[in-house]
Amino acid sequence: MAGARVDPPVHGDPATLGGYELIGRLASGGMGRIYLARSAEGQLVAVKTLLAEGVVSDVERRRFAREVELAQRIDSAFTARVRDADPQAELPWMAIDYIAAPPLSELVRTAGVLPASAVQWLAAGTAEALVTLHGEGIIHRDLKPQNILLPLPGPRVIDFGISHANDLTRTSLTLGTIAFTSPEQARGEPSTEASDVYSLGATLFHLALGRPPYRADSDTLGLLAQVQRGQLDLDGLPKELTALIRPCLAVDPGRRPVPAEMLARFRQSLAGLPVSQGGRRWLPQRWTDLIGAYERHGRDLARGAGIGAGATAEGITVDQRTGMVPPPEPTRVYTQERERAERERAERERAERERAERERAERERAEKERVERERALLAQERLREREWQQELERRKAENKDRERAEEKARERAARARARQHASGPSSASAGAASGTSRPSSRPDPARTPPPAPAPSKASSAVVWLVALAVAALLVLWLATWV
């Protein structure tokens, strides 16, 4: 049958603590041991004591007294309450409600996931517990499915502010803890009320899908890295739960809702519905069957039955019953065996290396092409520069040839004018000596303009015609005188 494992007392166990009769051992772990006990009125309680060798030290006693003080400040229908305690006894002890109910972790593992309406109902009860804790200045620091028990009236939060007080040693991180830890806690930063809200969102996701909100192919360190970065995998989350769960899993603590907002939203959604808040209205039959089995086992324990190995059933550990610090869980992979996870991780690493090598080769090829393009452009630029330089030299040579030709023409013209100037005076002297007054055929260049250019052949013909005409007229004139 389902129920908590209760072993008979062993030699050296006390018979009573305070007014409670110890009837069996629930478990031992961390710094404490948990006994199942019965009060004089027949009420079952879980009594926590210190695991101390010989005399309890002052440091251990003060630590235990701090646990008691924190736990006694909370009185809520959604938490496991402290009934009695004596931190100053020779063996300090604390009596806590014994809740005969399975934890959410076992319910999901054994009875499957929940519909959206049942997740919302559980979210409201857990949020109400957090409202009470935060109102007293207590941060849970380790909210997870193992630390929420579920009797039919509603969820009960355990292990709050006791094993995780600031002056206490924190438990070792395992997959079962890391998967529900906030990013800031995973980075070693201080826990806040918003850290509890993140853990609640991860727990609700687990109830709806049966897995944490991360990829399931990582070992402890891989999962821790995902949590630190807030690298979520929310595939499959029902749409009707997105508005409830997604804001709780915000990486920035300031963007997460406060538990009071979640509780108010749920109560608003119940407007006009029947007032019954019991689990039978919200939970599927397979869940209520397991819860009922735990209740029956609790009644057997109250009668003194169900103690010993023959009455053992799997599922409940010491933190699920009383909030005690659990021993570190074995490192495991949630949905795959380690070898398969390691093999797949090696495949991913190889694929990543190949991809990186391809990218490197592509970058080198692109760089080589870029260099070749730049070289080709540089060569073209140099060729254009040489062509332009050659054209410039050619134009300079043409200009020099033209200037030399013009210079030679000017020199020839100057020599011609010099010859004309030199021949003019000698002609005039010869004319005067002969006694003729005929004008010189070479006029003085100082008084006359330079000679006109030689006439063309057509002009010469016209001149001869005119001369012949003049000669004919002269002959006719002479004839008239004779």
Side-chain angles (χ1 to χ4, degrees), residues 165-278:
N166 288 334
D167 57 344
L168 298 181
T169 301
R170 297 177 63 183
T171 57
S172 300
L173 288 179
T174 64
L175 282 174
T177 299
I178 296 173
F180 304 97
T181 300
S182 66
E184 59 270 20
Q185 288 175 292
R187 294 191 296 264
E189 300 169 6
S191 301
T192 65
E193 295 176 0
S195 303
D196 287 347
V197 173
Y198 189 98
S199 297
L200 175 57
T203 297
L204 298 177
F205 186 93
H206 181 76
L207 297 180
L209 276 80
R211 65 175 180 87
Y214 305 99
R215 284 185 355 195
D217 55 357
S218 297
D219 57 11
T220 303
L221 294 179
L223 179 60
L224 179 61
Q226 290 186 60
V227 177
Q228 290 172 337
R229 297 190 299 265
Q231 187 178 340
L232 300 169
D233 177 10
L234 304 184
D235 288 346
L237 180 64
K239 293 182 179 179
E240 54 267 39
L241 292 177
T242 300
L244 170 66
I245 295 176
R246 186 63 186 87
C248 297
L249 297 175
V251 177
D252 181 3
R255 300 183 63 181
R256 300 169 197 161
V258 298
E261 293 174 350
M262 302 173 64
L263 183 59
R265 186 182 306 165
F266 175 74
R267 288 175 174 170
Q268 183 178 6
S269 69
L270 296 181
L273 297 178
V275 297
S276 172
Q277 299 297 313

Side-chain angles (χ1 to χ4, degrees), residues 319-353:
D319 66 314
Q320 298 162 347
R321 302 261 42 92
T322 65
M324 177 181 174
V325 183
E329 299 177 9
T331 301
R332 63 185 184 278
V333 179
Y334 275 103
T335 59
Q336 297 177 343
E337 296 179 356
R338 177 179 297 276
E339 291 182 358
R340 180 180 177 187
E342 291 293 338
R343 187 167 55 253
E344 292 182 351
R345 183 172 59 184
E347 290 291 337
R348 289 195 303 273
E349 291 176 352
R350 183 169 61 256
E352 183 67 20
R353 287 194 299 270

